[in-house]
Amino acid sequence: MELLLGTLLGVMLTYWGMQFFNKKKNSQQTEKQSVVLMEKIKSVCKLISVEGDFAEIYHYENTKNHFLNLVTSKKKAILLINAKAHIGYDLSQIKLESNNNKKEIILTHFPEPKILTVETEVKYYDKVDGYFNKFNAADLTGLNKEAKSFIVEKIPESGLIDSAKKEALDTILMIEQLLETTGWKLNYSQLILPNIETKKLD
């Protein structure tokens, strides 16, 4: 009788021990999975949602005085700027929390859209050197930077930022679908999308 009781007690203790171990193991696996999922979402980094093309004309003029301001020398150029701007989201800035019991990722902060890249192609027309004021390599490098800044200043009035703002929910839904394929769900019920302002290139 004591042998049977001891055997039953041993079996019960073994069963409880295995249940506790499996539960702890599953909990650790779920926690690890949530960390991996959040890192995967953030690793997407920059997500382009809107693309815009620009064709602008930029007038450049520079005047220098020489010989005690008695002689004025002017150089000028007309620049045709073709540019492509990409507006989107830096997903490394999103804030996520996990509820391992519910297998749920909670989205608490979503970044504002910003200008991710601006690619410019500059062509020079009517480039005229002054007699004492000529274009050099540094001038052309500076003009290319000015051309890029000129396009960046045009972006807010183009409506691209507002268009990207409208794509925010679509981006969140894309993340939701990604999580659903792994058996997790996205909770963004408490998320309030902020007012969007233009973010210029760093």
Side-chain angles (χ1 to χ4, degrees):
M1 186 67 178
E2 291 180 358
L3 180 61
L4 179 60
L5 186 60
T7 302
L8 288 173
L9 185 60
V11 170
M12 290 175 66
L13 287 173
T14 302
Y15 174 76
W16 287 336
M18 289 181 65
Q19 287 290 98
F20 176 78
F21 177 76
N22 288 334
K23 185 176 181 180
K24 186 176 181 181
K25 184 178 179 182
N26 289 336
S27 176
Q28 290 174 342
Q29 287 177 339
T30 302
E31 184 176 351
K32 183 177 180 181
Q33 187 183 30
S34 71
V35 172
V36 171
L37 287 172
M38 288 191 291
E39 289 303 316
K40 279 186 176 180
I41 291 171
K42 290 184 178 182
S43 69
V44 176
C45 278
K46 295 179 180 179
L47 179 67
I48 296 171
S49 59
V50 176
E51 180 180 277
D53 293 310
F54 293 82
E56 300 285 342
I57 295 176
Y58 181 70
H59 294 267
Y60 172 81
E61 191 173 287
N62 176 270
T63 301
K64 287 185 178 180
N65 295 320
H66 300 272
F67 307 112
L68 300 176
N69 296 329
L70 296 175
V71 177
T72 297
S73 184
K74 180 189 296 183
K75 61 184 174 186
K76 61 181 182 178
I78 296 176
L79 284 66
L80 176 60
I81 309 168
N82 289 307
K84 188 180 293 293
H86 295 129
I87 316 296
Y89 297 94
D90 185 353
L91 296 187
S92 66
Q93 295 179 358
I94 66 176
K95 293 181 181 178
L96 301 167
E97 298 174 0
S98 66
N99 185 328
N100 296 331
N101 293 329
K102 294 183 178 180
K103 296 196 75 173
E104 181 179 80
I105 300 295
I106 304 165
L107 180 58
T108 60
H109 171 75
F110 195 78
E112 300 175 357
K114 63 185 294 185
I115 302 169
L116 298 178
T117 62
V118 174
E119 302 166 2
T120 56
E121 180 185 355
V122 180
K123 294 181 180 179
Y124 294 88
Y125 294 92
D126 194 26
K127 184 162 73 73
V128 179
D129 286 313
Y131 193 78
F132 297 106
N133 189 11
K134 300 181 182 297
F135 282 100
N136 55 38
D139 291 328
L140 298 180
T141 300
L143 273 175
N144 278 301
K145 289 182 178 179
E146 282 188 36
K148 190 170 186 176
S149 297
F150 181 69
I151 294 298
V152 169
E153 290 173 2
K154 291 283 183 180
I155 289 175
E157 63 191 59
S158 71
L160 288 176
I161 297 291
D162 291 333
S163 296
K165 181 180 177 180
K166 294 174 184 177
E167 299 289 334
L169 185 57
D170 287 339
T171 304
I172 293 170
L173 292 176
M174 183 196 70
I175 296 173
E176 182 179 39
Q177 291 171 0
L178 173 67
L179 288 173
E180 285 177 350
T181 61
T182 62
W184 285 67
K185 60 182 179 179
L186 180 69
N187 182 344
Y188 53 92
S189 59
Q190 303 300 315
L191 182 67
I192 298 176
L193 292 176
N195 291 327
I196 305 301
E197 295 181 358
T198 305
K199 295 283 187 178
K200 290 189 177 182
L201 291 171
D202 296 331

